[in-house]
Amino acid sequence: MKTRYINQLQPGDSLADQFVLTEKTMAHKKDGNNYLNLVLSDRTGSIKAVIWDNVDQIAAKTKSGQVVVVKGTVGSYRGNLQMVVKEMSTAPASDIDPAAFLPKTERDVDQMFERLKKLSESLQKEYLKDLFNAFWSDKTFVAQFKRAPAAKKMHHAYIGGLLEHTLSMAVLADKISEHYSGIDRDLLISGALLHDIGKLREYTYDVVIDYSDEGRLVNHIVIGIQMIEDKIKTISTFPEETAMLLKHMVISHHGSRELGSPEPPKTIEAVMLNCIDEMDSRVQAIREFMSKEDPGEMWTSYHRLLERHFYRGRTGK
Amino acid sequence: MKTRYINQLQPGDSLADQFVLTEKTMAHKKDGNNYLNLVLSDRTGSIKAVIWDNVDQIAAKTKSGQVVVVKGTVGSYRGNLQMVVKEMSTAPASDIDPAAFLPKTERDVDQMFERLKKLSESLQKEYLKDLFNAFWSDKTFVAQFKRAPAAKKMHHAYIGGLLEHTLSMAVLADKISEHYSGIDRDLLISGALLHDIGKLREYTYDVVIDYSDEGRLVNHIVIGIQMIEDKIKTISTFPEETAMLLKHMVISHHGSRELGSPEPPKTIEAVMLNCIDEMDSRVQAIREFMSKEDPGEMWTSYHRLLERHFYRGRTGK
Amino acid sequence: MKTRYINQLQPGDSLADQFVLTEKTMAHKKDGNNYLNLVLSDRTGSIKAVIWDNVDQIAAKTKSGQVVVVKGTVGSYRGNLQMVVKEMSTAPASDIDPAAFLPKTERDVDQMFERLKKLSESLQKEYLKDLFNAFWSDKTFVAQFKRAPAAKKMHHAYIGGLLEHTLSMAVLADKISEHYSGIDRDLLISGALLHDIGKLREYTYDVVIDYSDEGRLVNHIVIGIQMIEDKIKTISTFPEETAMLLKHMVISHHGSRELGSPEPPKTIEAVMLNCIDEMDSRVQAIREFMSKEDPGEMWTSYHRLLERHFYRGRTGK
Amino acid sequence: MKTRYINQLQPGDSLADQFVLTEKTMAHKKDGNNYLNLVLSDRTGSIKAVIWDNVDQIAAKTKSGQVVVVKGTVGSYRGNLQMVVKEMSTAPASDIDPAAFLPKTERDVDQMFERLKKLSESLQKEYLKDLFNAFWSDKTFVAQFKRAPAAKKMHHAYIGGLLEHTLSMAVLADKISEHYSGIDRDLLISGALLHDIGKLREYTYDVVIDYSDEGRLVNHIVIGIQMIEDKIKTISTFPEETAMLLKHMVISHHGSRELGSPEPPKTIEAVMLNCIDEMDSRVQAIREFMSKEDPGEMWTSYHRLLERHFYRGRTGK
Amino acid sequence: MKTRYINQLQPGDSLADQFVLTEKTMAHKKDGNNYLNLVLSDRTGSIKAVIWDNVDQIAAKTKSGQVVVVKGTVGSYRGNLQMVVKEMSTAPASDIDPAAFLPKTERDVDQMFERLKKLSESLQKEYLKDLFNAFWSDKTFVAQFKRAPAAKKMHHAYIGGLLEHTLSMAVLADKISEHYSGIDRDLLISGALLHDIGKLREYTYDVVIDYSDEGRLVNHIVIGIQMIEDKIKTISTFPEETAMLLKHMVISHHGSRELGSPEPPKTIEAVMLNCIDEMDSRVQAIREFMSKEDPGEMWTSYHRLLERHFYRGRTGK
Amino acid sequence: MKTRYINQLQPGDSLADQFVLTEKTMAHKKDGNNYLNLVLSDRTGSIKAVIWDNVDQIAAKTKSGQVVVVKGTVGSYRGNLQMVVKEMSTAPASDIDPAAFLPKTERDVDQMFERLKKLSESLQKEYLKDLFNAFWSDKTFVAQFKRAPAAKKMHHAYIGGLLEHTLSMAVLADKISEHYSGIDRDLLISGALLHDIGKLREYTYDVVIDYSDEGRLVNHIVIGIQMIEDKIKTISTFPEETAMLLKHMVISHHGSRELGSPEPPKTIEAVMLNCIDEMDSRVQAIREFMSKEDPGEMWTSYHRLLERHFYRGRTGK
C-alpha cells in the first residue's frame, strides 16, 4: 500500500513506495551507457526520476502505465524534487488502491449521473429512451462512464471529468433548445449525452490518464460510433434515419476535418452541439488554468494550446 | 413613387419605375463600344439589366447605391428576367419610399427594443446602466439601431436584423451566465449588447444594404470602439478597467485574427461572447438558407461560405 | 424502356424517354414564378433541362436520383443541347434497365474479382483468411463490391471502379511489400483490400453515382469500420490487436486530418498504404483527365482539383 | 496582313482576317458531336468564337499560340461580340506582323535600356561590370530583354513590361541602398537587374503572351539561374561567393516557398530585394487595374487575386 | 540608488541592489512547497533568480514590472549567473533612476524629433499640418513619443526606438513618393508618421519594456485610432474623407488580417506604407540580430521568428 | 590521430583528442564575460562542451565544421556527459581520418553503385544512356555520389545514404513502371536516379554532415539542375524536350511549392516520382526512428517532424 505522497517528499528522504510509472524513456547514444528517465506520479503530483544501474533489466520488466514499487532517494534541483532510483518493480495488483494515483472530480458522481438520467427520461421519442435505457442498464458502461476523464490534460482531466462535462453540455443544450424555434430537442440532448462516450475506451484511467492503444489507433469518435451502433442494434424499433442523425452528431462534433471530425456538422442540431462543446470545454479549460496561477499577478502565464495570456483582473477573480 | 415590383414583372412588359441601382459596371475593351451591366433591385428581389446607348452620359450621372428611375423593357433568358434599359436617372429624394426597397424583420421592432432596454436595466453596476442610458437617449443612435442589418448577405440581412441578432445574443448570454459560476454577468450582457454596434456605420441601409466607405476603410470593430469611447467619456464615474474590458469584448468577438479580431478573447466572458456570436449567426444563417430551398429535396444546394450541403430530413423540417 | 441516348440527340428532336434526374433545383425569388432547373443523364452523357409549367406538381412528385420519364423538345445554345420539358414523372421500377444509365469499367469484373480473391488467399494468418472468406461469402457484399464506383468524379467514377482501384492497390502493395524488409505483408494487403469498402454504402450507384444520405452524414471511413467490425465479430479467433491495426489502416488511409482521416498513419504499413492510395488515385485521375482532352494540344486544360495544367508531350501520349 | 482589329468589329460583319488563336478547347461528351471553343485576340482585345463544322480537321492542323486566318461572321450576346468561324488555318509566317497582336509599353524602350546600362556601369566591382557587359553584348539576350513582358496578366503584361519593371526596381534599389548603412549596393542593384531574367524564356511573346513549355516545366527562377551561370562561366575572375550570393538574390526574391522561392532571403540585400519587388509589382498591378475601371465609381470592382475592392476616392484619382 | 549592474556580477558576490522584476512565476504542485522563479534585469542584461523562503509574503507584496530591492547571493550554472534571493521588496519611487534599467537608442532623440517635425511641415494640406501641430504641441504625447520603443523584442526594442523607426519610415516614404507618379505624398508621409503611435500606450517602458494591460486588451492599432480621432476632433476643417483615409493607413499597415490588420490596404498609399513598414522593421530586426552573433561564424544561429539562419559572408560584415 | 571515442568516455576522464566541432555559439550579454557553448562529435555520438577561458582567441581561430584537437575533462549531469574544454585548436589536415567522424551505410557501396549502373544501362534511349555514362565516367562525381548522405537528420543521414536512397527509389520506380500501362519507364527511372544529385553539393560530409553555403543559398534542387545541364550540354543528340522533362522531374519531386518545389509535378511520371520519394523517405525515416527507441515500450516517443507517436506492436517488431 502506498504510504507517502509526492507533495510530502523532502530532499534527503529515502523511500520505498508505490508510484505510477507515467513515462519511461531510454536515453542512449550520447555515450556508451544507457540510463532511464522516468516520470513518477500519484494523485498529488509528479516527480522526475533517473535510474543509472541495472538499466536493461529494469527497463525490460516494467512498463509505462503500471504502478511500480520504487526504492530511492530524493534530491533537489532549483526547487524541483528529483529521485535517484535504485530498484523498481511492478506492484502486485492486489496491493494497489487506484484512488491513490488519480485526481477526482469535486462534485458528487452519483448525483450528477442521476441528473443525466433524468434528462434522458425527459426525451419524447420512446426509441431514444430505450437507447439510453440500454446504456444505463449496462453496468460496465456505467462504471466506466462514472470514472472516465474528458481529456488527458486540457480540461476535465480527472476521474469523473467526462460525466461532469457531459452533464454541463446536456443542461446547456436543454436551455438553448428552448431559445430557438424549430430545434429537435430530442436529437440535440441525445447528441450532447453521447458525443464523447468513445472516451471511455480512448483513455486508460486505472492509475494514470493516458491514451489507450485503441484510442491512438482508432480514435474516440470512431469508437463512440461502434458503441452506439451496438446498442441501437438491440432496439428493433429504432428508425434508420435517427440512427444516422445521431451518429452524425457524434462524428461532426469537432466542427471540421482539421479538428478531427470526418464530416462537418450538416444539421442545425449538429452545428449547435459543436458550438456548445467548444464553449464548455474552452470555459472549463481556462478556469482550470487560471486556478493554478500566481494569484498576485493580473495576467496568467502563456497558455500554449490557446496561444495567449489570460487576464484575471485588477482585483483578481 | 414605385408602382410595380420585380416579382410582378413578366417578359414583354414595358415599364418606367423606381429601382435601387445595386451594381453598375462598365464593360470595356472587348470591342470598340462600352456598355453598362446593371443589377436593379427592390424589396422583392433583383434583376439584371443592360444599357446599350448613351452609356457615358448615364454612367456619369448615376451611381450605385442610388434609387433610379428606369425606362425599359423586360426580356427573359432561361427563366431569369432581364431588362434592356433605355433611360436611367436618379430619383428625386422627395419621391422615394425606402420601405419599397429593403426587406424587413418580421418581428416587432419596438417590442424587441423594449426587451433589450430591460436587459440593460437588469445590470448591477450603475456606471454600466449609465452607459446604456447614454445610448438609449441618443435618438440618432436608436433610430439607426432599429434599422441596421446584421450583415450584407450571410444572416439577418434585413432592416431590423442587427436588433434581432443583438437581442437573441443578449438573451442567450443571460441564460448561459447562470449556468457557469464566477461569470461577470454585467460584462457578458454588456458585451452582447454592444458587440456589433459599429455596424450602424459599417453598412448603408437607406435603400440598399451595402458597405459604407467608412465600413470598408475603418471596419465595424474599430467604428464600434469609437462609438463606445464617445459615450464612456460622458460618464465620469466609468472605471478605466471596465472600459478596457468592454472594448476588449468588442475587439475580440470574432475570436481570432484570421476572422478579423485584432486580439483573441483573453477573458472568460470574451471567450463566451465569441462562442455565442458564432452559434447565433450560424444557426440563423442556416435557417435562412434552408427556408429558400426546394422543399421536395432532402439536401439543400451547396452553401458556398459554409462549404457543405445541409440535411433537411426525410420528412422535411 | 429507354430507346434513345443523349449522345444521339439533335436540336429539334421531340422525345419521350427515360433519364436519370441527376439534379433538380427550384429557381425562385427573382420574379413571381418558380421554375425548375434540371440535369438529366444517361450512360452516354448529361443534358441541362428546364421546366416552365406545372412546376409545383412536378417538383413534388419527382426526386433527384430517380429515373424519370420525360417528354420534351431539344434545343441548343452554343453547342450544348438543352431540353425544354413539358411532362416528367417517375419511371416504373419494372421498366428500368440500370445499364442504360451508368458508365462501366472496361475490364472484366469477374476476372478482377478472382484475382482479388487469390491475393486474399495468399495471406498467411488464418484469421485474416477467415475474415476475407466472411466477406466473399456475403452475397450482398460481393454484388455491391462488383458494382461500386471509387469516387463521384475524380477517378474510377464508374460501375466497377472501386474493384478496379482496390485490385490495383493490392497488387502494388504486394510488389512493394517485397521491396522493404520487415513489412507485415498480411497487414498491408488486407488494408489495401479493405481501405475503401465503406464506399459501398457511401455512394448510390443504381442509376446515378451520388452520395447517399449515410455517406454524407456518416462518412465512408466510419461506415467501413462498422462493416469490418461486423465481420470480425463472427470470427472468435480474431486477435484484438490485429483488429485495431486493421481498423487503423482504414481510418488513417487519407494521411491526415485535413484530408479526412481522424488519425494519421501510425504504423509503417499504414504509412505505405496512404502513399500507395495517393499514387494510384492520382495516376488514374490524371489518365482519365488526359484522355478527354483535345489531342492536338500539348497541355491539358486546367485541372481544378489538382490546380495545374498537365503536359501531354510534343508527340502526344 | 491583318486589316481589321477586334475593337472595330460590329455584329453582322463578315470577315476573313488574322488573329492569334489564344485558346482552343475541344468540347465533348455532352452529346455525340464535338465542337471547338476558341478565344481569338489581337492587340486591341479578344473575342470568343466557336466552330461547329469540320471540327476534327481544323483542330488537328491549328494550335493555340499561332496566328490563324479566320473566316466567319460576328454575332453578339449581351454586349459581348462572338464569332462563328467557318474556316481557320495557320497564317504563313511571312505574312505576320507581330506588332498587330500584342500591346506595348508606352515608354521609350531604348531610353529605358540606356538608363539600365548606366546603372550597371555605376557598380564598383569590376567582375560585376564584366557580367553585365556579357549580358549587354549578347544580342539575342538584349533583343528578348527589350520585348519580354513581366507577367502574363497581373502587372506589366505587355511588350517591354519586364524592362520597365526591372528599371523601376533598380532605381528604387539605388535610392534605398543609400538610406541604410552597411548595404552592399553592388549586390542589391545587380539582384534587381537580374531577378526576373528567367522570364525571357518563361513566356512566349511573339504574338501572344503565354507560358512557354520551359516556363511551365522548369520555372523562371531556375531558368534565370542557368542564364546567370552561363555568363559567369565566361568571367574567370568572378568570385565563387559573389556567384552564390547573386544566385541567392534570384532564388529567394519571391520571399517564401509558398510564393515559389526554393529558399527564403538569407541576406539583408535579399530581404530588401523581395520587399522592393513586392512593392513595385503590387503598386503597378493596382494602377493598371484602377485605370480600367468605371471612373464614376469610388470603389473598383473586386480584384480576384488581391481579394479586395480598392478605393479611388471621392474626387477620383 | 542602483550601484552595481548585471554585467559586473561574479559568482560568489553578495549584493543588495535594485533590479526590475521582469518576471515572477509561482512554481507549484510538484511537491508540498511553493517557490518563486524570477527574472531580474537592468539595462545591461538580465539574470535568473529563485526565492525559497517566505515565498507567499514576498509574492503578495511585489509585482512583475516593478523595481525591487533584492538581497541575495550570486551563483553560476554552465556560465549563466543565477541569484538566490533572500529578501525582495518594492523600491521607493523617489529612489529610482529609470535610466538604470532600460537600453536607449544610440542616436540623438531631439535631432531625430526635429527632422520628423520638418517632414510634417513639408506637407501641403493645411489641415494635416494642423493635425501634426496638435500632436507636437501636446507635451505628454511628445514626451512619450521620444521614449517609446517600437517593439518588445523583435526590432527597435529600446527607449527611442519608435521615434527611430518612425523617422526611418517617413524618410523612405518621402523618397519613394517621388519615384511613382500619382502618389498622394501628404497621405503617405502622414501615414508613416502616425502608423505606430498606438504603441505609446501599448507598451510600458518606465523601467521595463512590456505590454500594458491596454495594449494586450485593446491592441495598438485600435489605440492609435482613438488618439488620432481625439486630435482630429479639435480641427474643425479636417475633411471627413481624409480622416477615413488616414485611419485606414493605420488600420491596414500590417497588410492582412492574419498579421493583425482588421482590413487589408485598399489604397495605393496604404499598400506602399505596408511594404515600407515590412522592409524597415525586417532590415532592422536582422541587423540587430546579426550584431549579437559570434563574429567568427559565417552563419548566424537560427532566428526563431523569421525561421532561418542568415548569412554574414566569408569576410564578415 | 583519434584514439578515444565518445561512447567510451567516462565522467572524470581527462583527454586530448580529435573531435568535429559541430556547433560553436558565443553566449553573451547575460553578464560581462563571454563563453563558448560547443557540440563535439565523432561517429559514435556527440557531447556538449563549454569553454570558460581564452574565449575570444579560441573563437577566432576555430570554426564549426572543422576537426579540432581538444584538451579537457569530462563531467556529467543527469546522465549526459559534458566536457569542460581548456584548449582547442584545428587539427592538421594530414592527421585526420574522416572515417572516425561520420557514421556509414551498413550496405556495400560498390555493390549498390553497380546495381544503379545496371539500371541505367537498361534504359532504351541512347541519349539517356549517354547522359548516365557522362555521370559515371566523372570520377569526382562518382566519388561524391558514393559518400553523400540523403539528409542531415531525417533519413539516410550517413555516408552512402544518398546512394542507398537513390537505389531504393530506382528499383521501386522500375517495379511500378511495369504496373501501369503507358508509363515512360526511361523518364521515370532517370528521374529517380537524378532527383537528389544536388545533395552532393548541398551538404558537406567530410567530417560532419551539415548544409554547405551553396546548399543554404542555392538549394539542392537548383544545384541539381545545374549539374544535369552541364552534362547534357556535352551530348549533342540530347533532345530539348527530354531535357526539359528530366529537369521537371527534379524540380517537382517535392510535390508542391510549400515543400520546396518551384513547380508541382505536371506529368504522370513526375507525379509518380514524387509519390515514390515520399514513400521511400518516410518509410526509412520511421524505421531509423523506431530502431533507436526503448524496445520495452509499445509506442515510440513523439516524432517532432511527423508529429505523432508510432506503434511498434505488442510483440515488438
Side-chain angles (χ1 to χ4, degrees), chain E residues 1-5 16-18 69 91-98 100-101:
Chain E
M1 287 295 287
K2 188 165 173 68
T3 53
R4 290 181 62 192
Y5 285 89
D17 216 326
Q18 291 181 346
V69 178
S94 61
D95 204 32
I96 298 171
D97 172 15
F101 301 105

Side-chain angles (χ1 to χ4, degrees), chain C residues 206-263:
Chain C
D206 280 339
V207 289
V208 64
I209 295 176
D210 203 350
Y211 288 99
S212 66
D213 294 348
E214 193 183 13
R216 277 178 166 157
L217 291 171
V218 185
N219 189 280
H220 80 270
I221 283 185
V222 179
I223 298 170
I225 294 297
Q226 295 182 46
M227 292 169 69
I228 293 170
E229 173 84 353
D230 281 353
K231 292 296 186 234
I232 284 180
K233 275 188 179 153
T234 67
I235 301 163
S236 57
T237 57
F238 208 94
E240 188 196 353
E241 188 188 24
T242 308
M244 281 192 319
L245 288 171
L246 200 53
K247 287 180 196 172
H248 179 66
M249 298 293 276
V250 176
I251 278 169
S252 68
H253 82 270
H254 285 196
S256 68
R257 287 188 160 187
E258 290 69 24
L259 300 172
S261 274
E263 298 289 341

